[in-house]
Amino acid sequence: MIITLDGPAGAGKSSAARALATRLGWCYMDTGAMYRAVALTALERGIPLDDSPRIAVLAEEVRIEFRDGRVNVDGRDVSVEIRTEAITAATRPVADAPPVREAMKRIQRRMAEGIDVVTEGRDQGSVVFPQAELKVFLTASPEERARRRHREELGRGHAPTLESVLESQSRRDDADCARPVGAMRQADDAVLLETDGLSAEEVVQRLAELAEACRRSREQP
Ligand code: DC
């Protein structure tokens, strides 16, 4: 069975998807981390970020694995490296390129074959797994998302203003929605879950209830 969780940056997708997968005992796929890992490897190998055919080949060559909450590329733990500002910026042209997205779609479908998985990203329900049994579009107001991101940044010892976080978030939202291929979009049959005012535990609880309802309806003749 496949559960897709799509939505904008800062909606709390990653922690919700990870917690849901743990609760269900399923695999977890963070597709943003996959794009980030490919961008990091391209930089390390000196492949220009606008050489999308070569980056698409690279994506097929490297082995990306999620293990114990870490992201590994060819057996190397890159969990921390892929979260830097530089890699966030380098990932943008990589994720925009249609040949890379085509390769990623194939890879993600292969990874999900024959297993129960919670997969998280922008296009998982709309493009990669249109047949998913449960699709959720997780979002929150821009102000709420920016407040969460701002708190995280302060926790990491950075000191951006709330306004600057809101501004860069709005640029990312625009770019995610404007991408010609694989733009962030709520699938027609996705459940919309707004997380303003909900704690992380409450979000996971709602998701688990949706998953249970979906499982029960599948069992009915
Ligand atoms: O969710 P994130 O910030 O880790 O995503 C990193 C980048 O990859 C961001 O530019 C959005 C993009 N992305 C995408 O285009 N499609 C996905 N399925 C997941 C992420």
Side-chain angles (χ1 to χ4, degrees):
M1 181 166 157
I2 296 176
I3 298 179
T4 62
L5 223 62
D6 290 303
K13 280 185 320 266
S14 293
S15 45
R18 198 177 298 118
L20 179 67
T22 304
R23 189 154 159 174
L24 298 173
W26 292 12
C27 295
Y28 162 59
M29 207 156 79
D30 175 349
T31 61
M34 295 174 72
Y35 282 103
R36 287 170 180 272
V38 170
L40 171 72
T41 312
L43 285 179
E44 287 174 346
R45 298 194 186 174
I47 302 174
L49 295 175
D50 59 359
D51 190 345
S52 54
R54 268 180 82 192
I55 297 185
V57 170
L58 173 72
E60 297 270 12
E61 276 172 7
V62 294
R63 187 166 38 87
I64 302 174
E65 293 167 306
F66 298 102
R67 197 169 288 162
D68 305 323
R70 315 295 295 176
V71 187
N72 294 339
V73 176
D74 290 335
R76 177 167 68 102
D77 184 349
V78 296
S79 314
V80 175
E81 279 164 278
I82 59 169
R83 301 284 161 202
T84 62
E85 277 301 312
I87 296 301
T88 299
T91 305
R92 167 80 44 214
V94 169
D96 278 349
V100 179
R101 298 203 75 86
E102 269 307 305
M104 282 298 205
K105 184 165 75 177
R106 278 194 298 276
I107 296 162
Q108 290 161 4
R109 287 180 178 171
R110 246 184 349 247
M111 285 172 77
E113 241 166 46
I115 59 169
D116 291 321
V117 64
V118 179
T119 177
E120 174 236 315
R122 304 289 188 286
D123 61 345
Q124 297 298 285
S126 54
V127 175
V128 182
F129 299 108
Q131 83 290 11
E133 285 81 357
L134 174 62
K135 301 177 187 177
V136 181
F137 195 81
L138 200 73
T139 189
S141 66
E143 294 75 19
E144 173 69 21
R145 293 190 283 124
R147 268 195 299 275
R148 291 178 190 160
R149 178 56 53 94
H150 186 237
R151 267 199 305 271
E152 277 169 24
E153 289 294 321
L154 295 181
R156 288 189 190 123
H158 305 148
T161 61
L162 182 58
E163 290 67 34
S164 70
V165 173
L166 192 57
E167 240 175 67
S168 70
Q169 174 184 279
S170 146
R171 275 198 302 273
R172 284 181 77 184
D173 285 355
D174 290 348
D176 281 346
C177 292
R179 176 177 293 133
V181 176
M184 177 173 67
R185 183 174 75 73
Q186 179 180 346
D188 296 337
D189 51 352
V191 177
L192 177 66
L193 181 54
E194 305 240 20
T195 66
D196 281 79
L198 294 180
S199 68
E201 293 73 29
E202 286 169 330
V203 173
V204 178
Q205 181 59 30
R206 296 268 175 102
L207 291 172
E209 285 164 11
L210 287 169
E212 177 57 20
C214 176
R215 192 188 61 76
R216 262 195 260 115
S217 77
R218 273 162 44 91
E219 279 174 7
Q220 268 165 18

